[in-house]
Amino acid sequence: MNRVFIKTYGCQMNERDSEAVAAMLRARGYRIVNDENTCDVMLLNTCSVRDMAEQKAIGKAGHVAQKKKRNPRFILGILGCMAQNRGAQLLDALPDVDLIVGTQKFHQVPDYLDNLRAAQEAGTVLPTRIVDIAEEAGSQNTIREHVLEERQVTAFVSIQQGCNMDCAFCIVPKTRGDERSRPMDQIVRECEELADRGVREITLLGQIVTSYGRRDYTHTGGVTPFVQLLERVNAIPGIKRIRFTSPHPRGFKDDLIAAYGRLEKLCEYVHLPLQSGSDRILRAMNRPYTRERYRQIVDDLRRVRPDMYFSTDIIVGFPGETTEDFEQTRELFDACNYDMAYVFKYSIRTGTPAAELADQVPDDLKEERNQVLLRLLEQNSDRRNATLVGTTQEVLVEGPDKKGVGYMGRTRGNRIVHFAANERLIGELVPVTIKRVSTAVLYGELELAGVER
Ligand code: 5AD
């Protein structure tokens, strides 16, 4: 009765939260299983950023609830953003859910499962449900345990929770609460421990990492707390690569740009959400920067690192977005030459300012604009990959590829590479010469003199 299956929807932050929940459950004697058909407990860690993400989880929960008819002891829980967003209301649509746990209470999941199971053991007849979506001071410090696969090379580290930006379209300030940072020492210690366990690449996670520690630490010599944190992680010998997500253009100041010139482990891949290339729409979105300022950051970064890779988030069809507004987005999107992008069709989120705006854009127009950007992205990505053929890239070997034919790793620019290698090279940085490419994957050969393939 202790097999737990966790299904995660949404962003890397959610994945990290699920991993921490899994680690805490394991420590409590639960088994984390990969097969949803053999579990006694199913936890859905949910996303609210678009309606579709919520509907997917609700659909899944409705379907899984059928299991309770066959097995009344089966436990179904909804965790994370949608739990926070909808709370006990979820029980109206999903009366068979046993557990609803918000984003500040992940660390309570083991206790709550223990309690539910104890109630079952005691033969409680009435359904026992637990709903906890309260705020909790210090909850940003509770996402710290890791479950590492054997020889896991990359890891996410949560540095901050919540966001105070109030972008007009975004539900996150409601689901994740106020911006709170973890102490720098704690984060650095966690990275050191991960390095001791074999991790070589760290991705620092937060909703707005460029604001990290702004209320807790002072700038030293014009260096923001976030860059101070990068410096400290850069100094950990076992860590070979650092990434982070997501920064805000407003906080992407000169000290961070300069960091790319001096912190050798900071990978030349920046995910910089643009959202829109129209100043009018940026204002309506309550995004405090202009297209010109955004372009300046991209250009400055390319000056420091000519080989910089960029990815972005775009919302098409924000209320009131005209053909001209979209044309501005298309033009800037093209000019920035993104290597990767996440394009979203605007989705009304109840409770956000933009939900109240007139001038909602019809679905077919959103879809058309979506397709325009996706086609551009594919062209940009193909163009980038074509330039990589014949070059030798530094690759961090992560492990066997999915098909089990060879090995896979990533370049510093976050391109996936497949190549023949040896198990001993997992966790090593190796030179790989790129021989051929597809849109999504590079195929290469190891360039190691005297090393057996
Ligand atoms: N509709 C569509 N996309 C959204 N995002 C956030 N809120 C919405 C919304 N209401 C996108 C933004 C953000 C990413 C995580 O999700 O682009 O950067």
Side-chain angles (χ1 to χ4, degrees):
M1 288 308 290
N2 69 347
R3 293 164 302 184
V4 182
F5 175 78
I6 307 179
K7 184 168 173 64
T8 308
Y9 298 84
C11 65
Q12 288 144 323
M13 185 77 84
N14 292 4
E15 289 192 19
R16 173 70 197 105
D17 293 337
S18 292
E19 190 207 354
V21 169
M24 291 183 267
L25 286 172
R26 264 196 189 170
R28 191 65 72 85
Y30 288 86
R31 267 177 57 203
I32 306 300
V33 296
N34 292 323
D35 178 5
E36 63 179 285
N37 296 313
T38 61
C39 67
D40 311 301
V41 177
M42 189 179 300
L43 302 176
L44 305 179
N45 190 9
T46 56
C47 169
S48 286
V49 90
R50 279 163 297 137
D51 186 52
M52 216 204 322
E54 289 202 341
Q55 293 311 327
K56 261 195 211 161
I58 290 172
K60 179 76 181 174
H63 183 69
V64 171
Q66 304 296 323
K67 279 185 195 255
K68 284 187 88 81
K69 301 217 163 49
R70 270 170 282 138
N71 174 9
R73 300 189 131 208
F74 180 80
I75 293 175
L76 173 59
I78 296 187
L79 317 182
C81 289
M82 185 174 70
Q84 192 72 43
N85 192 28
R86 298 191 173 212
Q89 232 187 44
L90 274 171
L91 294 172
D92 300 341
L94 298 165
D96 289 323
V97 170
D98 305 283
L99 180 63
I100 295 181
V101 177
T103 54
Q104 306 202 19
K105 295 290 182 175
F106 287 113
H107 56 291
Q108 296 287 7
V109 170
D111 277 356
Y112 291 155
L113 282 186
D114 283 355
N115 293 349
L116 286 170
R117 295 199 323 161
Q120 286 179 344
E121 298 293 321
T124 311
V125 184
L126 288 172
T128 312
R129 290 182 186 131
I130 298 176
V131 177
D132 188 358
I133 56 165
E135 290 181 10
E136 183 176 318
S139 62
Q140 72 274 22
N141 302 325
T142 59
I143 303 298
R144 45 169 199 257
E145 274 82 3
H146 291 261
V147 176
L148 298 183
E149 304 290 326
E150 209 180 319
R151 311 205 60 185
Q152 188 174 325
V153 172
T154 63
F156 295 136
V157 171
S158 165
I159 67 168
Q160 173 201 52
Q161 290 285 334
C163 183
N164 288 356
M165 286 306 289
D166 286 325
C167 298
F169 49 78
C170 190
I171 195 76
V172 166
K174 180 170 174 209
T175 60
R176 290 275 172 179
D178 288 339
E179 199 181 297
R180 293 104 62 209
S181 296
R182 291 178 65 195
M184 209 182 291
D185 285 345
Q186 230 182 64
I187 298 168
V188 172
R189 208 170 316 126
E190 185 173 321
C191 294
E192 285 167 349
E193 280 165 20
L194 287 167
D196 289 345
R197 292 165 73 183
V199 167
R200 297 290 167 256
E201 179 179 302
I202 297 274
T203 303
L204 302 174
L205 294 181
Q207 257 80 33
I208 173 156
V209 293
T210 34
S211 295
Y212 168 79
R214 70 190 163 118
R215 282 183 302 242
D216 316 289
Y217 302 95
T218 49
H219 289 216
T220 46
V223 175
T224 50
F226 180 58
V227 173
Q228 294 169 33
L229 174 64
L230 291 175
E231 285 170 355
R232 290 187 57 186
V233 179
N234 194 69
I236 301 171
I239 299 301
K240 304 296 180 202
R241 285 180 172 181
I242 307 168
R243 305 182 191 278
F244 58 82
T245 196
S246 291
H248 193 293
R250 192 185 68 158
F252 221 108
K253 298 281 163 52
D254 288 347
D255 66 321
L256 182 51
I257 291 167
Y260 281 90
R262 64 189 176 89
L263 301 181
E264 72 287 356
K265 296 175 187 174
L266 195 52
C267 290
E268 48 274 27
Y269 177 96
V270 174
H271 178 70
L272 190 59
L274 170 63
Q275 312 299 2
S276 170
S278 151
D279 285 342
R280 205 178 68 80
I281 295 294
L282 286 172
R283 260 197 313 279
M285 287 177 162
N286 198 21
R287 300 275 297 176
Y289 54 90
T290 59
R291 56 184 274 124
E292 191 191 343
R293 171 65 193 140
Y294 184 97
R295 186 64 207 269
Q296 174 95 51
I297 298 170
V298 169
D299 289 349
D300 287 351
L301 280 163
R302 286 220 160 99
R303 250 191 299 282
V304 175
R305 291 282 268 270
D307 50 352
M308 188 66 89
Y309 289 66
F310 284 97
S311 74
T312 196
D313 288 345
I314 304 278
I315 296 176
V316 292
F318 184 81
E321 184 185 70
T322 62
T323 312
E324 296 81 64
D325 291 319
F326 177 67
E327 177 53 26
Q328 297 258 297
T329 300
R330 194 201 60 74
E331 197 255 347
L332 188 54
F333 188 93
D334 201 21
C336 290
N337 226 326
Y338 293 111
D339 296 285
M340 182 53 203
Y342 302 89
V343 184
F344 304 102
K345 289 180 273 184
Y346 173 70
S347 167
I348 296 179
R349 308 285 56 221
T350 309
T352 63
E356 309 299 324
L357 295 176
D359 261 349
Q360 296 287 336
V361 175
D363 277 346
D364 52 348
L365 204 51
K366 288 184 198 169
E367 182 54 29
E368 201 182 301
R369 292 175 183 173
N370 186 34
Q371 291 303 327
V372 169
L373 296 186
L374 291 181
R375 271 198 303 275
L376 262 183
L377 175 65
E378 196 176 318
Q379 284 167 17
N380 283 348
S381 180
D382 284 344
R383 192 163 55 217
R384 166 71 89 172
N385 285 355
T387 67
L388 296 175
V389 175
T391 66
T392 301
Q393 298 286 316
E394 180 201 276
V395 173
L396 176 62
V397 187
E398 292 184 23
D401 60 31
K402 277 208 189 87
K403 290 187 190 146
V405 186
Y407 284 77
M408 66 76 64
R410 280 167 210 267
T411 66
R412 288 175 62 101
N414 216 17
R415 289 305 212 221
I416 293 174
V417 192
H418 288 203
F419 50 101
N422 186 296
E423 210 204 327
R424 279 179 294 123
L425 294 175
I426 294 175
E428 300 291 324
L429 295 172
V430 296
V432 174
T433 298
I434 307 306
K435 298 293 180 186
R436 63 192 177 85
V437 296
S438 70
T439 304
V441 180
L442 315 177
Y443 300 88
E445 276 176 21
L446 258 180
E447 289 299 328
L448 280 190
V451 172
E452 200 188 309
R453 293 211 174 127

